[in-house]
Amino acid sequence: MFKILFIGSSKIVEEHIKVALELKFKLFSLNSTRLNSKNELFINKKYKFEKKFNNWKSAVDYSANKKNIVFFIASRIEDTENILKYCSKFKNKIFVEKPITYKNKIITFNKNIFVGYNRLFFNSLKKINKTYINKFYCNVVISYTIFDEVKMNISHLLSILLYLFGDLKILRKIKNGNNINIILRDKKKNLIFFNILNTSTDSYSINIISKKINYVFKPLEILNIYNSIKRNYFSGNKKKLYVTQLLIKKFNEFESNNFKPGFLNQMINFKNFCYKKNKKIFNNINFANKVINLSHKILKR
């Protein structure tokens, strides 16, 4: 049975702990990157960990190359890449939260690294029929009030787009005040309009429109699927025609289970990754580099 060494003590770590316990992982140790962290003390009191170390590096050194201990990195972004480099020197399997860095590339390459893009494990993504989106139009919105929010969260959207459509190329970037509009193109020459909007009146969304079907993620955790439109007459008056979309299916990730959306499926996949020696995964370092590099190009001023 695998034991998890957690590095980091943010609120998101506790969400990972809950799922880990559900899947019968053992809690080995939890170590913050900050000295005298209140969050570390709180989590250590709340859950039973096997061992306590003076710092995360001592914990890693003790656990190095032990086959039944995996590293789980969910630290501050400014610390993540250095911690990942250190952990990658050993043979332990590694889970690392995204985004790993704000740079344009991750230097560390290791087949034992599983990158935590939890939205790629939404049940709703499995409902996207790629035969219907061979030719499509896509509109994406990411809203913000403080621009740093975009840096932290753009990976959520780009990981989904790269997962669905493969490599993307930036054709044009238009700046309009505090808003940025980017035109992307996939290898099949489909266009994706990526809009970064300075507003508090909208939320993140992805709208994929093809000839036969319309997928709308808004918010990202809820997918509505439409396949046609319906003509309606207000109060039966034929001069007052309006059109509505016909909803055929709806998927709500919040209703799937009691955990943070995508976390259970993600941890199930990580567990399989730990048990199978050469298991191939799409959310590896190469994929993470594609997300990070595209993020860097989009946000570069």
Coordinates of all heavy atoms in Angstrom, one line a residue, residues 32-117:
S32 N 5.3 21.7 5.4 CA 5.2 23.0 4.7 C 6.5 23.5 4.3 O 7.6 23.0 4.7 CB 4.6 24.0 5.7 OG 4.5 25.3 5.1
T33 N 6.5 24.4 3.3 CA 7.8 25.0 2.9 C 8.1 26.2 3.7 O 9.1 26.8 3.6 CB 7.6 25.5 1.4 OG1 6.5 26.3 1.3 CG2 7.5 24.3 0.5
R34 N 7.1 26.6 4.6 CA 7.3 27.7 5.5 C 7.6 27.2 6.9 O 6.9 26.3 7.4 CB 6.1 28.6 5.5 CG 5.7 29.2 4.2 CD 4.5 30.1 4.3 NE 4.1 30.7 3.1 CZ 3.1 31.6 2.9 NH1 2.5 32.0 4.0 NH2 2.8 32.0 1.7
L35 N 8.5 27.8 7.6 CA 8.8 27.5 9.0 C 7.7 27.9 9.9 O 7.1 29.0 9.7 CB 10.1 28.1 9.4 CG 11.4 27.6 8.8 CD1 12.6 28.4 9.3 CD2 11.6 26.1 9.1
N36 N 7.3 27.1 10.8 CA 6.3 27.4 11.8 C 4.9 27.7 11.1 O 4.2 28.7 11.6 CB 6.7 28.6 12.7 CG 8.0 28.4 13.4 OD1 8.2 27.3 14.0 ND2 8.9 29.3 13.4
S37 N 4.6 27.0 10.1 CA 3.4 27.2 9.4 C 2.2 26.8 10.3 O 2.1 25.7 10.8 CB 3.4 26.4 8.1 OG 2.1 26.3 7.6
K38 N 1.2 27.7 10.4 CA 0.0 27.4 11.1 C -0.9 26.4 10.4 O -1.5 25.5 11.1 CB -0.8 28.7 11.3 CG -0.2 29.7 12.3 CD -1.1 30.9 12.5 CE -0.4 31.9 13.4 NZ -1.2 33.2 13.6
N39 N -0.9 26.4 9.1 CA -1.6 25.4 8.3 C -1.1 24.0 8.5 O -1.8 23.0 8.7 CB -1.6 25.8 6.9 CG -2.5 26.9 6.5 OD1 -3.3 27.3 7.3 ND2 -2.3 27.5 5.3
E40 N 0.3 23.9 8.6 CA 0.9 22.6 8.8 C 0.5 22.1 10.2 O 0.2 20.9 10.3 CB 2.4 22.8 8.7 CG 3.2 21.5 9.0 CD 4.7 21.6 9.0 OE1 5.1 22.7 8.5 OE2 5.4 20.7 9.4
L41 N 0.6 22.9 11.2 CA 0.2 22.5 12.5 C -1.3 22.0 12.6 O -1.6 21.0 13.2 CB 0.4 23.6 13.5 CG 1.9 24.0 13.8 CD1 1.9 25.3 14.7 CD2 2.6 22.9 14.6
F42 N -2.1 22.8 11.9 CA -3.6 22.5 11.9 C -3.8 21.1 11.2 O -4.6 20.3 11.8 CB -4.3 23.6 11.2 CG -5.8 23.3 11.0 CD1 -6.7 23.4 12.0 CD2 -6.3 22.8 9.7 CE1 -8.1 23.1 11.8 CE2 -7.6 22.6 9.5 CZ -8.5 22.7 10.6
I43 N -3.3 20.9 10.1 CA -3.5 19.7 9.3 C -2.9 18.5 10.0 O -3.5 17.4 10.1 CB -3.0 19.8 7.9 CG1 -3.7 20.9 7.1 CG2 -3.1 18.4 7.1 CD1 -3.1 21.2 5.7
N44 N -1.7 18.7 10.6 CA -1.1 17.6 11.4 C -1.9 17.2 12.6 O -1.9 16.0 13.0 CB 0.3 17.9 11.8 CG 1.3 17.6 10.7 OD1 1.5 16.4 10.3 ND2 2.1 18.6 10.2
K45 N -2.6 18.1 13.2 CA -3.5 17.8 14.4 C -4.7 17.1 13.9 O -5.3 16.2 14.6 CB -3.8 19.1 15.1 CG -2.7 19.6 16.0 CD -3.2 20.9 16.8 CE -2.1 21.4 17.7 NZ -2.5 22.6 18.4
K46 N -5.2 17.5 12.8 CA -6.5 17.0 12.3 C -6.4 15.6 11.7 O -7.3 14.8 11.9 CB -7.1 17.9 11.2 CG -8.5 17.6 10.8 CD -9.0 18.7 9.8 CE -10.5 18.3 9.4 NZ -11.0 19.4 8.5
Y47 N -5.3 15.2 11.1 CA -5.1 13.9 10.5 C -3.9 13.2 11.1 O -3.0 13.9 11.6 CB -4.9 14.1 9.0 CG -6.0 14.7 8.3 CD1 -6.1 16.1 8.0 CD2 -7.1 13.9 7.8 CE1 -7.1 16.7 7.4 CE2 -8.2 14.5 7.2 CZ -8.2 15.9 7.0 OH -9.2 16.5 6.3
K48 N -3.9 11.9 11.1 CA -2.8 11.1 11.7 C -1.8 10.8 10.6 O -2.0 10.0 9.7 CB -3.3 9.9 12.3 CG -4.2 10.1 13.5 CD -4.7 8.8 14.1 CE -5.5 9.0 15.4 NZ -6.0 7.7 16.0
F49 N -0.6 11.4 10.7 CA 0.5 11.1 9.8 C 1.5 10.2 10.6 O 1.7 10.3 11.8 CB 1.2 12.4 9.4 CG 0.4 13.2 8.5 CD1 -0.5 14.2 9.0 CD2 0.4 13.1 7.1 CE1 -1.3 14.9 8.1 CE2 -0.3 13.8 6.2 CZ -1.2 14.7 6.7
E50 N 2.2 9.4 9.8 CA 3.1 8.4 10.4 C 4.4 9.1 11.0 O 4.8 8.7 12.1 CB 3.5 7.4 9.3 CG 4.4 6.3 9.8 CD 4.7 5.3 8.7 OE1 3.8 5.0 7.9 OE2 5.8 4.8 8.7
K51 N 4.9 10.0 10.3 CA 6.2 10.7 10.8 C 6.1 12.2 10.6 O 5.4 12.7 9.9 CB 7.4 10.1 9.9 CG 7.8 8.7 10.3 CD 9.1 8.3 9.7 CE 9.6 7.0 10.2 NZ 10.0 7.0 11.6
K52 N 7.0 12.8 11.5 CA 7.2 14.2 11.4 C 8.7 14.6 11.2 O 9.5 13.9 11.8 CB 6.7 14.8 12.8 CG 6.9 16.3 12.9 CD 6.2 17.1 11.9 CE 6.5 18.6 12.0 NZ 6.0 19.4 10.9
F53 N 8.9 15.5 10.3 CA 10.3 15.9 10.0 C 10.5 17.4 10.3 O 9.5 18.2 10.4 CB 10.7 15.6 8.6 CG 10.6 14.1 8.2 CD1 9.4 13.5 7.8 CD2 11.7 13.3 8.4 CE1 9.3 12.2 7.5 CE2 11.6 12.0 8.1 CZ 10.5 11.4 7.7
N54 N 11.7 17.8 10.4 CA 12.0 19.2 10.6 C 11.7 20.1 9.4 O 11.3 21.3 9.6 CB 13.5 19.4 11.0 CG 13.8 18.8 12.3 OD1 13.0 18.8 13.2 ND2 15.1 18.4 12.5
N55 N 11.8 19.6 8.2 CA 11.5 20.3 7.0 C 11.2 19.3 5.9 O 11.5 18.1 6.0 CB 12.7 21.3 6.6 CG 14.0 20.6 6.5 OD1 14.2 19.7 5.7 ND2 14.9 20.9 7.5
W56 N 10.7 19.9 4.7 CA 10.3 19.0 3.6 C 11.5 18.3 3.0 O 11.4 17.1 2.6 CB 9.6 19.8 2.6 CG 10.5 20.8 1.8 CD1 10.7 22.1 2.1 CD2 11.3 20.5 0.6 NE1 11.5 22.7 1.2 CE2 11.9 21.8 0.3 CE3 11.5 19.4 -0.1 CZ2 12.8 21.9 -0.8 CZ3 12.4 19.5 -1.2 CH2 13.0 20.7 -1.6
K57 N 12.7 18.9 3.0 CA 13.9 18.3 2.4 C 14.3 17.1 3.2 O 14.7 16.0 2.6 CB 15.0 19.3 2.2 CG 16.1 18.9 1.3 CD 17.1 20.0 1.0 CE 16.5 21.0 0.0 NZ 17.6 22.0 -0.4
S58 N 14.3 17.2 4.5 CA 14.6 16.0 5.4 C 13.7 14.9 5.1 O 14.1 13.7 5.1 CB 14.6 16.4 6.8 OG 15.6 17.4 7.1
A59 N 12.4 15.2 4.9 CA 11.4 14.2 4.7 C 11.6 13.5 3.3 O 11.5 12.3 3.2 CB 10.0 14.9 4.6
V60 N 12.0 14.3 2.3 CA 12.3 13.7 1.0 C 13.5 12.8 1.1 O 13.6 11.7 0.6 CB 12.5 14.8 0.0 CG1 13.0 14.2 -1.3 CG2 11.2 15.5 -0.3
D61 N 14.6 13.3 1.8 CA 15.8 12.5 1.9 C 15.6 11.2 2.6 O 16.1 10.1 2.2 CB 16.9 13.3 2.7 CG 17.4 14.5 1.9 OD1 17.3 14.5 0.7 OD2 18.0 15.4 2.5
Y62 N 14.7 11.2 3.6 CA 14.4 10.0 4.3 C 13.6 9.0 3.4 O 13.8 7.8 3.5 CB 13.6 10.3 5.6 CG 13.1 9.1 6.4 CD1 13.9 8.6 7.4 CD2 11.9 8.5 6.1 CE1 13.5 7.4 8.1 CE2 11.5 7.3 6.8 CZ 12.3 6.8 7.8 OH 11.9 5.7 8.5
S63 N 12.8 9.6 2.6 CA 11.9 8.7 1.8 C 12.4 8.4 0.4 O 11.8 7.6 -0.3 CB 10.5 9.5 1.6 OG 10.0 10.0 2.8
A64 N 13.6 8.9 0.1 CA 14.2 8.8 -1.2 C 14.3 7.3 -1.6 O 14.8 6.5 -0.9 CB 15.5 9.4 -1.3
N65 N 13.8 7.0 -2.9 CA 13.9 5.7 -3.5 C 13.1 4.6 -2.8 O 13.3 3.4 -3.1 CB 15.3 5.3 -3.7 CG 16.1 6.2 -4.6 OD1 15.5 6.7 -5.6 ND2 17.3 6.6 -4.2
K66 N 12.3 4.9 -1.8 CA 11.4 3.9 -1.1 C 10.2 3.7 -2.0 O 9.4 4.6 -2.3 CB 11.0 4.4 0.3 CG 12.2 4.3 1.3 CD 11.7 4.7 2.7 CE 12.7 4.5 3.8 NZ 13.9 5.2 3.6
K67 N 10.1 2.5 -2.5 CA 9.0 2.2 -3.5 C 7.6 2.4 -3.0 O 6.7 2.7 -3.8 CB 9.2 0.7 -3.9 CG 10.5 0.5 -4.7 CD 10.5 -1.0 -5.2 CE 11.8 -1.3 -6.0 NZ 11.9 -2.7 -6.4
N68 N 7.4 2.4 -1.7 CA 6.0 2.5 -1.2 C 5.7 3.9 -0.8 O 4.6 4.2 -0.3 CB 5.7 1.5 -0.1 CG 6.6 1.9 1.1 OD1 7.7 2.4 1.0 ND2 6.0 1.6 2.3
I69 N 6.6 4.9 -1.0 CA 6.3 6.3 -0.6 C 6.3 7.1 -1.9 O 7.3 7.1 -2.7 CB 7.4 6.8 0.4 CG1 7.3 6.0 1.7 CG2 7.1 8.3 0.6 CD1 8.3 6.5 2.7
V70 N 5.2 7.9 -2.1 CA 5.1 8.8 -3.2 C 5.2 10.2 -2.7 O 4.8 10.5 -1.6 CB 3.9 8.6 -4.1 CG1 3.9 7.1 -4.6 CG2 2.6 8.8 -3.2
F71 N 5.7 11.1 -3.6 CA 5.8 12.5 -3.2 C 4.6 13.3 -3.8 O 4.2 13.1 -5.0 CB 7.1 13.2 -3.8 CG 8.4 12.5 -3.3 CD1 9.5 12.5 -4.1 CD2 8.4 12.0 -2.0 CE1 10.7 11.9 -3.6 CE2 9.6 11.4 -1.5 CZ 10.7 11.4 -2.4
F72 N 4.0 14.1 -3.0 CA 2.9 14.9 -3.4 C 3.2 16.4 -3.2 O 3.2 16.9 -2.1 CB 1.6 14.5 -2.6 CG 0.3 14.8 -3.3 CD1 -0.4 13.8 -3.8 CD2 -0.1 16.1 -3.3 CE1 -1.7 14.1 -4.4 CE2 -1.3 16.4 -4.0 CZ -2.1 15.4 -4.5
I73 N 3.4 17.1 -4.3 CA 3.9 18.5 -4.2 C 2.7 19.5 -4.5 O 2.2 19.5 -5.6 CB 5.0 18.8 -5.2 CG1 6.2 17.8 -5.0 CG2 5.5 20.2 -5.0 CD1 7.3 17.9 -6.0
A74 N 2.3 20.2 -3.4 CA 1.2 21.2 -3.6 C 1.7 22.4 -2.8 O 1.0 22.9 -1.9 CB -0.1 20.6 -3.1
S75 N 2.8 23.0 -3.2 CA 3.4 24.1 -2.5 C 3.1 25.4 -3.2 O 2.3 25.5 -4.2 CB 4.9 23.9 -2.5 OG 5.4 23.8 -3.9
R76 N 3.6 26.5 -2.7 CA 3.5 27.8 -3.4 C 4.2 27.7 -4.8 O 5.2 27.1 -4.9 CB 4.2 28.9 -2.6 CG 3.5 29.2 -1.2 CD 4.3 30.2 -0.4 NE 5.6 29.7 -0.1 CZ 6.5 30.4 0.6 NH1 6.3 31.7 0.9 NH2 7.7 29.8 0.9
I77 N 3.6 28.4 -5.7 CA 4.1 28.3 -7.1 C 5.5 28.7 -7.2 O 6.3 28.1 -7.9 CB 3.2 29.1 -8.1 CG1 1.8 28.5 -8.1 CG2 3.8 29.1 -9.5 CD1 0.7 29.4 -8.7
E78 N 5.9 29.7 -6.5 CA 7.3 30.2 -6.5 C 8.3 29.1 -6.0 O 9.5 29.2 -6.3 CB 7.5 31.5 -5.8 CG 7.1 31.5 -4.3 CD 5.6 32.0 -4.1 OE1 4.8 31.7 -5.0 OE2 5.4 32.6 -3.1
D79 N 7.8 28.1 -5.3 CA 8.7 27.1 -4.7 C 8.6 25.8 -5.5 O 9.5 24.9 -5.4 CB 8.3 26.8 -3.3 CG 8.5 28.0 -2.3 OD1 9.4 28.8 -2.6 OD2 7.7 28.1 -1.4
T80 N 7.5 25.6 -6.3 CA 7.2 24.3 -6.8 C 8.3 23.7 -7.7 O 8.7 22.6 -7.6 CB 5.9 24.4 -7.6 OG1 4.9 24.7 -6.7 CG2 5.6 23.0 -8.2
E81 N 8.8 24.5 -8.6 CA 9.8 23.9 -9.6 C 11.1 23.5 -8.9 O 11.6 22.4 -9.2 CB 10.1 24.9 -10.7 CG 11.0 24.3 -11.8 CD 11.2 25.2 -13.0 OE1 10.9 26.4 -12.9 OE2 11.7 24.6 -14.0
N82 N 11.6 24.2 -7.9 CA 12.8 23.8 -7.2 C 12.6 22.6 -6.4 O 13.4 21.7 -6.3 CB 13.3 25.0 -6.3 CG 13.9 26.1 -7.1 OD1 14.5 25.9 -8.1 ND2 13.8 27.3 -6.5
I83 N 11.4 22.5 -5.8 CA 11.0 21.2 -5.0 C 11.0 20.0 -6.0 O 11.5 18.9 -5.7 CB 9.7 21.4 -4.3 CG1 9.9 22.5 -3.2 CG2 9.3 20.1 -3.6 CD1 8.6 22.9 -2.5
L84 N 10.3 20.3 -7.1 CA 10.2 19.2 -8.1 C 11.5 18.7 -8.6 O 11.8 17.5 -8.8 CB 9.3 19.7 -9.3 CG 9.0 18.7 -10.4 CD1 8.3 17.5 -9.9 CD2 8.3 19.4 -11.6
K85 N 12.5 19.7 -8.9 CA 13.8 19.3 -9.3 C 14.5 18.4 -8.3 O 15.1 17.4 -8.6 CB 14.6 20.6 -9.5 CG 14.3 21.3 -10.8 CD 15.2 22.6 -10.9 CE 14.9 23.4 -12.1 NZ 15.7 24.6 -12.2
Y86 N 14.3 18.8 -7.0 CA 15.0 18.0 -5.9 C 14.4 16.6 -5.8 O 15.1 15.6 -5.8 CB 14.8 18.7 -4.6 CG 15.7 18.2 -3.5 CD1 17.0 18.6 -3.4 CD2 15.2 17.2 -2.6 CE1 17.8 18.0 -2.4 CE2 16.0 16.7 -1.6 CZ 17.3 17.1 -1.5 OH 18.1 16.5 -0.5
C87 N 13.1 16.5 -5.9 CA 12.4 15.2 -5.8 C 12.7 14.3 -7.0 O 12.7 13.1 -6.9 CB 10.9 15.4 -5.6 SG 10.4 16.2 -4.1
S88 N 12.9 15.0 -8.1 CA 13.1 14.2 -9.4 C 14.4 13.5 -9.4 O 14.7 12.6 -10.3 CB 13.0 15.1 -10.6 OG 11.7 15.6 -10.7
K89 N 15.3 13.7 -8.5 CA 16.6 13.0 -8.4 C 16.4 11.6 -8.0 O 17.3 10.7 -8.2 CB 17.5 13.7 -7.4 CG 17.9 15.1 -7.8 CD 19.0 15.7 -6.9 CE 18.6 15.9 -5.5 NZ 19.6 16.5 -4.6
F90 N 15.2 11.3 -7.4 CA 15.0 10.0 -6.9 C 14.0 9.2 -7.7 O 13.4 9.7 -8.7 CB 14.5 10.1 -5.4 CG 15.4 11.0 -4.6 CD1 15.0 12.2 -4.2 CD2 16.7 10.6 -4.3 CE1 15.8 13.0 -3.4 CE2 17.5 11.4 -3.5 CZ 17.1 12.6 -3.1
K91 N 13.7 7.9 -7.4 CA 12.9 7.1 -8.2 C 11.4 7.1 -7.8 O 10.6 6.4 -8.4 CB 13.4 5.7 -8.2 CG 14.8 5.6 -8.9 CD 15.3 4.1 -8.8 CE 16.7 4.0 -9.5 NZ 17.2 2.6 -9.4
N92 N 11.1 7.8 -6.7 CA 9.7 7.8 -6.2 C 8.7 8.4 -7.3 O 9.1 9.3 -8.0 CB 9.6 8.7 -5.0 CG 10.6 8.2 -3.9 OD1 11.8 8.3 -4.1 ND2 10.1 7.8 -2.8
K93 N 7.5 8.0 -7.3 CA 6.5 8.6 -8.1 C 6.1 9.9 -7.5 O 6.1 10.1 -6.3 CB 5.2 7.7 -8.2 CG 5.5 6.4 -9.0 CD 5.7 6.7 -10.5 CE 5.9 5.4 -11.3 NZ 4.7 4.7 -11.6
I94 N 5.8 10.9 -8.4 CA 5.5 12.3 -8.0 C 4.2 12.8 -8.5 O 4.0 12.7 -9.7 CB 6.7 13.2 -8.4 CG1 8.0 12.7 -7.9 CG2 6.4 14.6 -8.0 CD1 9.2 13.4 -8.5
F95 N 3.4 13.4 -7.7 CA 2.3 14.2 -8.1 C 2.6 15.6 -7.8 O 3.1 16.0 -6.7 CB 1.0 13.8 -7.2 CG -0.2 14.6 -7.6 CD1 -1.3 13.9 -8.2 CD2 -0.4 15.9 -7.3 CE1 -2.4 14.6 -8.6 CE2 -1.5 16.6 -7.6 CZ -2.5 16.0 -8.2
V96 N 2.4 16.5 -8.8 CA 2.7 17.9 -8.6 C 1.5 18.7 -9.1 O 1.0 18.5 -10.2 CB 4.0 18.3 -9.3 CG1 4.0 18.1 -10.8 CG2 4.4 19.8 -9.0
E97 N 1.1 19.7 -8.3 CA 0.0 20.6 -8.6 C 0.5 21.5 -9.7 O 1.6 21.9 -9.8 CB -0.5 21.3 -7.4 CG -1.7 20.7 -6.8 CD -3.0 20.8 -7.6 OE1 -2.9 21.3 -8.7 OE2 -4.0 20.4 -7.1
K98 N -0.5 21.9 -10.6 CA -0.2 23.0 -11.5 C -0.7 24.3 -11.0 O -1.4 24.4 -10.0 CB -1.0 22.7 -12.9 CG -2.5 22.4 -12.9 CD -3.3 23.3 -12.0 CE -4.8 23.1 -12.0 NZ -5.3 22.5 -10.8
P99 N -0.2 25.5 -11.5 CA 0.9 25.6 -12.5 C 2.2 25.3 -11.8 O 2.4 25.8 -10.6 CB 0.8 27.0 -13.0 CG 0.1 27.7 -11.9 CD -0.8 26.8 -11.2
I100 N 3.1 24.7 -12.4 CA 4.4 24.4 -11.8 C 5.3 25.6 -11.8 O 6.1 25.8 -10.8 CB 5.1 23.2 -12.6 CG1 4.3 22.0 -12.5 CG2 6.5 23.0 -12.0 CD1 4.8 20.8 -13.3
T101 N 5.2 26.5 -12.8 CA 6.0 27.7 -12.9 C 5.3 28.7 -13.7 O 4.4 28.4 -14.4 CB 7.4 27.3 -13.5 OG1 8.2 28.5 -13.6 CG2 7.2 26.8 -14.9
Y102 N 5.8 30.0 -13.5 CA 5.3 31.1 -14.4 C 6.3 31.4 -15.5 O 6.1 32.3 -16.3 CB 5.1 32.4 -13.5 CG 4.0 32.3 -12.6 CD1 4.0 32.9 -11.3 CD2 2.7 31.7 -13.0 CE1 2.9 32.8 -10.5 CE2 1.7 31.7 -12.2 CZ 1.8 32.3 -10.9 OH 0.7 32.2 -10.1
K103 N 7.4 30.6 -15.5 CA 8.4 30.7 -16.6 C 7.8 30.1 -17.9 O 6.6 29.6 -17.9 CB 9.7 30.0 -16.3 CG 10.3 30.5 -15.0 CD 11.5 29.7 -14.6 CE 12.1 30.1 -13.3 NZ 13.2 29.2 -12.9
N104 N 8.5 30.1 -19.0 CA 8.0 29.6 -20.2 C 8.3 28.1 -20.5 O 7.9 27.5 -21.5 CB 8.5 30.4 -21.4 CG 10.0 30.3 -21.6 OD1 10.7 29.8 -20.7 ND2 10.5 30.7 -22.8
K105 N 9.0 27.5 -19.5 CA 9.3 26.0 -19.7 C 9.7 25.4 -18.4 O 10.3 26.1 -17.5 CB 10.4 25.9 -20.7 CG 10.7 24.5 -21.2 CD 11.7 24.4 -22.3 CE 11.9 23.0 -22.7 NZ 12.9 22.9 -23.8
I106 N 9.4 24.1 -18.2 CA 9.9 23.4 -17.0 C 11.2 22.7 -17.5 O 11.2 22.0 -18.5 CB 8.9 22.4 -16.5 CG1 7.5 23.0 -16.3 CG2 9.4 21.7 -15.3 CD1 6.4 22.0 -16.2
I107 N 12.2 22.8 -16.7 CA 13.5 22.2 -17.1 C 13.5 20.7 -16.7 O 14.1 19.9 -17.4 CB 14.7 22.9 -16.4 CG1 14.7 24.4 -16.9 CG2 16.0 22.2 -16.7 CD1 15.8 25.2 -16.2
T108 N 12.9 20.4 -15.6 CA 12.9 19.0 -15.1 C 12.1 18.0 -16.0 O 10.9 18.3 -16.3 CB 12.3 18.9 -13.7 OG1 13.0 19.8 -12.9 CG2 12.3 17.5 -13.1
F109 N 12.7 16.9 -16.4 CA 12.0 15.9 -17.2 C 12.1 14.6 -16.4 O 13.2 14.2 -16.1 CB 12.6 15.8 -18.6 CG 12.2 16.9 -19.5 CD1 12.9 18.0 -19.6 CD2 11.0 16.8 -20.2 CE1 12.5 19.1 -20.4 CE2 10.6 17.9 -21.1 CZ 11.4 19.0 -21.2
N110 N 11.0 13.9 -16.2 CA 11.1 12.7 -15.5 C 9.8 11.9 -15.7 O 8.7 12.5 -15.6 CB 11.2 13.0 -14.0 CG 11.4 11.8 -13.1 OD1 10.8 10.8 -13.3 ND2 12.4 11.9 -12.2
K111 N 9.9 10.7 -16.1 CA 8.7 9.9 -16.5 C 7.9 9.5 -15.2 O 6.7 9.0 -15.4 CB 9.2 8.6 -17.1 CG 9.9 7.6 -16.3 CD 10.3 6.4 -17.0 CE 11.1 5.4 -16.1 NZ 11.5 4.1 -16.8
N112 N 8.4 9.8 -14.0 CA 7.6 9.5 -12.8 C 6.7 10.6 -12.3 O 6.2 10.6 -11.3 CB 8.6 9.1 -11.7 CG 9.2 7.8 -11.9 OD1 8.6 6.9 -12.5 ND2 10.5 7.6 -11.5
I113 N 6.6 11.7 -13.1 CA 5.9 12.9 -12.7 C 4.5 12.9 -13.3 O 4.3 12.7 -14.5 CB 6.6 14.2 -13.1 CG1 8.0 14.2 -12.4 CG2 5.8 15.4 -12.8 CD1 8.8 15.4 -12.9
F114 N 3.5 13.0 -12.4 CA 2.1 13.1 -12.8 C 1.6 14.6 -12.4 O 1.7 15.0 -11.2 CB 1.3 12.1 -11.9 CG -0.2 12.0 -12.1 CD1 -0.7 11.0 -12.8 CD2 -1.0 13.0 -11.6 CE1 -2.1 10.9 -13.0 CE2 -2.4 12.9 -11.7 CZ -3.0 11.8 -12.4
V115 N 1.2 15.3 -13.4 CA 0.9 16.7 -13.2 C -0.7 16.9 -12.9 O -1.5 16.3 -13.7 CB 1.3 17.6 -14.3 CG1 1.1 19.1 -14.0 CG2 2.8 17.4 -14.7
G116 N -1.0 17.6 -11.9 CA -2.4 17.6 -11.4 C -3.3 18.6 -12.1 O -3.7 19.6 -11.6
Y117 N -3.8 18.3 -13.4 CA -4.8 19.1 -14.1 C -6.1 18.5 -13.8 O -6.6 17.7 -14.6 CB -4.5 19.1 -15.6 CG -3.2 19.9 -15.9 CD1 -2.1 19.2 -16.3 CD2 -3.2 21.3 -15.9 CE1 -0.9 19.9 -16.6 CE2 -2.0 21.9 -16.3 CZ -0.9 21.2 -16.6 OH 0.3 21.9 -17.0

